[in-house]
Amino acid sequence: MIKEFIKKYWWRYLIGILFLITVDIIQLFIPRQIGSIVDLLNTQSPNLNQIKTLIFGIIMLAVGLGIGRVFWRISIIGAARLFEYQTWKKLFNHIIGLDQDFFDKWRTGDLMTRFTSDVLVLMRMMGILVIMLVDTIVLTTLTLFAMGNFVNWRLTFISVLPLPLIAIISLFFGRFIHRRFRELQEKTSELSNITEENVSGVDVVKLYSNYDTMQGIFDNKSQEFYNSYIRLVKVWGLMFPLAMLVGQLAIIFVFNFGGPMVINNQITLGDFIMTNQYIGMLIWPMMAVGNLINLIQRGRASLRRVNEVLEQKNSVKEPPRKDFEFQGHYQINHLTFKYPGSQRVVLNDINMNINPGEMIAFVGRIGSGKSTLAKLLVKLYPVDREQIFLDGKDINDVNGEFIRDNVSYVPQDSFLFSMTIRENIAFSDEKMEDKVEEFAKLSHVHDDIMSFENKYDTIVGERGATLSGGQRQRVTIARALAKRSKMIILDDCLSAVDTETEEEIIKTLRQQAEDKTILVISHRLKAVKNADQIYVFDDGQIAEHGNHNQLISREGIYYSMYMKQLIEKNLEE
Ligand SMILES: Nc1ncnc2c1ncn2[C@@H]1O[C@H](COP(=O)(O)OP(=O)(O)OP(=O)(O)O)[C@@H](O)[C@H]1O
């Protein structure tokens, strides 16, 4: 990733580095000018014109410094920001293409930290690190050269003796800083996870009046985050004064050895002041040594974390997309399924035939595998060959995107975006915006929407919070209908509306789109009793199947479930 970027944008770095070196060279002349002014002032009759020229020279050098800094910033920091933007884009495009298995396993907060903190560290590595590296090498070499040439080599050698100690201190502490920084990164991830989950699940926290527990967990995590930050700050806090102390030691060396040289007229007072200024200029590159190593280590850790996401592969192997006339005939032969990475058999020896235009219902106990099978039909998880055939083709040979273009799957808890109801319904195709009312009517949510102040332009709050559960579910059905696919799967997505409305919606769907295959997963048997085929799931297997009358006459699981629901309904009335 980094290599590719540098290969493409090496010229930006080259321009930046040239400006950086120019700035470093200009910087060297300022102490010299100051030294010369001091020497002129130190004479019996100072030449004011010469002093003015020197001051003007300093101003010009400062202007040059400013211009140079602007250009190296634009080139190097600009390149680093471009790298940051491209990495975000790469990460996002990669994640969005990953399959369900990835999202089942990765926590949102952790992903967010990789997007934010880790990419930020990489950006620093591509910007500040380059600057520090060039400055450390170039500024140190040039300053030493200037000190020796402009002042005195012996004094230079003696005064810089303590400075490598700063680099050693910086390196020594750098190891701790790296370890503590990594710890801080992990704590940041954990804190993001907790915050994200609590904000997303705020309804649950409120309903269970569980503030204390959640606050306790949050307090713990933020305390851990704080502690690890303080541990990092402590190392920084110790390192800086120590490095400064050594820097002061170098100044004492200048006074101790340079002072007598001034008295003995070996160097001028201006030379002495110049040396002091050069020493000040050397402290920063020495301190940067540890920072440099530290930033490289942090950058490597962040690069590993970002690459970990980029290396995630889809568990479903997709063949190239070859579109064909989608009919929606599914044939399932002895299907057995375990979720990726799990040993538990969730579906066991399933056999089924779904014909185009039919209404199919999956019913059965919770956790019996109904949703899993629905997800397999839209290829959200991988299955072995020769188990699911779509229009005569092994599902493994059909591109998943093509399937999902032709099959609308409405999951149990569907997500709505924070945009208008109209935009949400026309999500799959903006051109459908004119027809959203039609789909809303089919989903029996039009009247509800018309009662809102802004009607179809009502902004849906995050996760559909401004709509009631039933309204939200019906808007998601309207959104699925706007896809105009040949098949629609309603996965228990009408649980928040009453049985009559659920029955009404299903009936309307069947009437309006006779050729559409409708697969309904529901716990309410009354709502799906008109289905052409009803499959009764039990512990990952199909216990019974047939139409309502056939299943009733069998007097099996379906019969007892139906009777139980009938009695419950009668009791309610
Ligand atoms: N992503 C997953 N990874 C591992 N196991 C899973 C995953 N999703 C579901 N399961 C397991 O698969 C089994 C079947 O779940 P599934 O959601 O298909 O049941 P269901 O019949 O649709 O239930 P419900 O009626 O409650 O929606 C359950 O035991 C569940 O724990």
Side-chain angles (χ1 to χ4, degrees):
M1 186 163 64
I2 291 178
K3 262 192 211 156
E4 275 167 36
F5 184 83
I6 292 185
K7 232 176 169 176
K8 202 166 169 193
Y9 296 102
W10 60 269
W11 54 272
R12 273 182 174 248
Y13 284 99
L14 185 69
I15 296 174
I17 288 170
L18 286 178
F19 273 108
L20 202 57
I21 294 175
T22 313
V23 165
D24 282 348
I25 294 172
I26 295 175
Q27 249 171 302
L28 294 176
F29 285 94
I30 296 180
R32 197 182 180 197
Q33 298 284 96
I34 294 173
S36 304
I37 293 173
V38 171
D39 281 342
L40 278 173
L41 289 171
N42 207 22
T43 53
Q44 293 288 324
S45 47
N47 182 336
L48 275 181
N49 279 341
Q50 238 178 329
I51 291 174
K52 274 184 197 161
T53 315
L54 285 168
I55 289 174
F56 181 71
I58 291 179
I59 295 169
M60 289 322 287
L61 286 172
V63 171
L65 268 183
I67 295 172
R69 280 188 180 136
V70 168
F71 280 103
W72 70 246
R73 263 177 194 281
I74 291 176
S75 307
I76 301 178
I77 303 289
R81 287 285 176 194
L82 182 69
F83 177 80
E84 182 186 35
Y85 158 74
Q86 290 190 351
T87 312
W88 274 335
K89 215 162 92 169
K90 202 167 179 177
L91 267 174
F92 184 77
N93 288 343
H94 185 72
I95 287 174
I96 213 83
L98 286 173
D99 58 27
Q100 194 58 40
D101 185 35
F102 170 81
F103 295 98
D104 288 347
K105 288 181 185 144
W106 283 67
R107 296 180 75 183
T108 316
D110 187 17
L111 270 180
M112 293 310 294
T113 314
R114 288 171 206 243
F115 257 88
T116 49
S117 317
D118 286 317
V119 176
L120 188 77
V121 173
L122 287 184
M123 188 275 285
R124 286 171 59 82
M125 197 167 87
M126 297 300 284
I128 307 267
L129 181 75
V130 177
I131 296 161
M132 277 186 351
L133 198 72
V134 175
D135 253 9
T136 309
I137 299 170
V138 176
L139 197 64
T140 311
T141 320
L142 289 181
T143 311
L144 285 177
F145 185 75
M147 271 172 87
N149 256 336
F150 297 157
V151 188
N152 180 294
W153 278 106
R154 202 162 69 91
L155 180 62
T156 303
F157 179 71
I158 293 169
S159 4
V160 299
L161 266 183
L163 293 185
L165 210 59
I166 300 182
I168 294 169
I169 291 170
S170 162
L171 276 171
F172 174 78
F173 281 94
R175 285 199 348 245
F176 292 98
I177 290 174
H178 175 61
R179 211 174 306 147
R180 292 185 180 185
F181 180 78
R182 224 177 38 204
E183 188 187 300
L184 183 71
Q185 237 15 22
E186 272 151 29
K187 297 290 166 213
T188 315
S189 269
E190 285 172 20
L191 194 63
S192 306
N193 273 329
I194 291 286
T195 315
E196 193 273 333
E197 278 182 9
N198 271 285
V199 173
S200 305
V202 68
D203 294 358
V204 183
V205 177
K206 281 188 182 201
L207 285 173
Y208 284 80
S209 298
N210 212 2
Y211 294 108
D212 292 346
T213 319
M214 294 324 282
Q215 222 161 31
I217 296 174
F218 185 81
D219 280 353
N220 272 345
K221 289 291 165 203
S222 45
Q223 185 68 45
E224 281 174 19
F225 172 82
Y226 170 77
N227 290 344
S228 78
Y229 212 109
I230 292 296
R231 274 201 291 276
L232 182 67
V233 169
K234 273 183 190 160
V235 187
W236 279 111
L238 214 65
M239 188 185 98
F240 273 108
L242 260 177
M244 284 302 169
L245 195 75
V246 177
Q248 296 306 319
L249 204 68
I251 304 280
I252 293 172
F253 273 43
V254 178
F255 271 87
N256 206 27
F257 295 98
M261 286 173 95
V262 178
I263 296 166
N264 297 330
N265 285 330
Q266 285 170 291
I267 56 168
T268 63
L269 184 63
D271 290 341
F272 177 79
I273 286 171
M274 208 192 305
T275 309
N276 264 320
Q277 293 214 336
Y278 282 135
I279 290 291
M281 278 165 67
L282 281 174
I283 294 177
W284 187 82
M286 289 299 115
M287 278 180 72
V289 172
N291 253 345
L292 213 98
I293 308 280
N294 180 246
L295 197 56
I296 292 174
Q297 286 172 331
R298 270 160 60 178
R300 278 175 53 202
S302 290
L303 188 64
R304 208 179 44 238
R305 281 165 58 85
V306 168
N307 276 337
E308 207 182 338
V309 178
L310 290 174
E311 280 158 14
Q312 292 298 314
K313 298 219 169 10
N314 279 334
S315 52
V316 180
K317 300 275 170 292
E318 289 296 0
R321 188 169 169 151
K322 281 188 204 136
D323 292 4
F324 55 88
E325 187 61 40
F326 185 92
Q327 301 296 324
H329 174 241
Y330 277 98
Q331 194 189 336
I332 301 173
N333 295 336
H334 304 291
L335 167 71
T336 298
F337 176 75
K338 292 177 196 161
Y339 276 98
S342 158
Q343 287 310 310
R344 225 175 103 227
V345 176
V346 174
L347 292 173
N348 191 7
D349 198 25
I350 304 281
N351 292 289
M352 187 179 287
N353 217 349
I354 299 175
N355 294 314
E358 272 185 346
M359 175 178 164
I360 311 286
F362 289 176
V363 299
R365 270 191 260 279
I366 52 167
S368 54
K370 305 180 293 294
S371 301
T372 304
L373 183 55
K375 286 175 191 163
L376 293 185
L377 297 180
V378 285
K379 216 177 165 190
L380 288 185
Y381 294 99
V383 284
D384 289 343
R385 291 191 72 83
E386 314 236 321
Q387 297 203 330
I388 302 182
F389 289 89
L390 169 61
D391 291 337
K393 294 175 181 61
D394 190 311
I395 198 164
N396 289 292
D397 299 330
V398 185
N399 182 283
E401 222 176 271
F402 170 71
I403 301 178
R404 291 186 289 273
D405 271 353
N406 286 285
V407 183
S408 299
Y409 173 66
V410 190
Q412 284 172 8
D413 183 18
S414 207
F415 184 90
L416 289 177
F417 291 92
S418 315
M419 29 178 157
T420 64
I421 295 180
R422 185 186 310 284
E423 286 162 336
N424 265 294
I425 296 179
F427 179 72
S428 62
D429 185 359
E430 278 174 25
K431 285 192 242 83
M432 286 293 153
E433 282 202 8
D434 300 336
K435 294 194 172 157
V436 291
E437 289 193 23
E438 185 188 315
F439 302 118
K441 279 178 190 156
L442 285 175
S443 322
H444 290 243
V445 70
H446 173 73
D447 294 342
D448 296 59
I449 297 171
M450 291 313 279
S451 70
F452 299 152
E453 200 179 320
N454 293 320
K455 308 203 165 36
Y456 280 86
D457 295 318
T458 306
I459 303 271
V460 177
E462 202 156 304
R463 292 171 71 90
T466 48
L467 303 181
S468 76
Q471 286 163 346
R472 199 161 64 218
Q473 288 190 333
R474 282 173 286 158
V475 170
T476 60
I477 292 177
R479 177 174 65 185
L481 291 176
K483 241 177 93 182
R484 295 191 160 268
S485 51
K486 293 253 177 76
M487 181 169 173
I488 185 160
I489 302 178
L490 306 178
D491 185 354
D492 205 9
C493 59
L494 284 166
S495 52
V497 298
D498 55 74
T499 315
E500 284 67 35
T501 315
E502 183 174 7
E503 266 184 275
E504 251 333 288
I505 293 174
I506 295 170
K507 206 167 115 197
T508 322
L509 286 186
R510 283 197 87 181
Q511 283 164 355
Q512 295 289 322
E514 279 175 0
D515 59 335
K516 213 190 256 296
T517 313
I518 303 172
L519 168 57
V520 185
I521 301 176
S522 179
H523 285 281
R524 295 187 189 128
L525 303 188
K526 192 165 172 275
V528 294
K529 66 188 253 223
N530 292 322
D532 299 304
Q533 293 193 69
I534 301 170
Y535 287 89
V536 186
F537 282 66
D538 189 27
D539 197 17
Q541 288 183 309
I542 293 173
E544 299 169 352
H545 99 273
N547 62 30
H548 173 75
N549 292 337
Q550 288 165 338
L551 289 169
I552 289 290
S553 54
R554 267 184 77 138
E555 296 196 6
I557 302 179
Y558 182 86
Y559 173 82
S560 30
M561 278 165 63
Y562 190 78
M563 286 306 160
K564 198 168 156 240
Q565 288 186 8
L566 210 63
I567 295 167
E568 277 168 5
K569 180 104 179 77
N570 288 340
L571 282 177
E572 272 171 29
E573 284 163 7

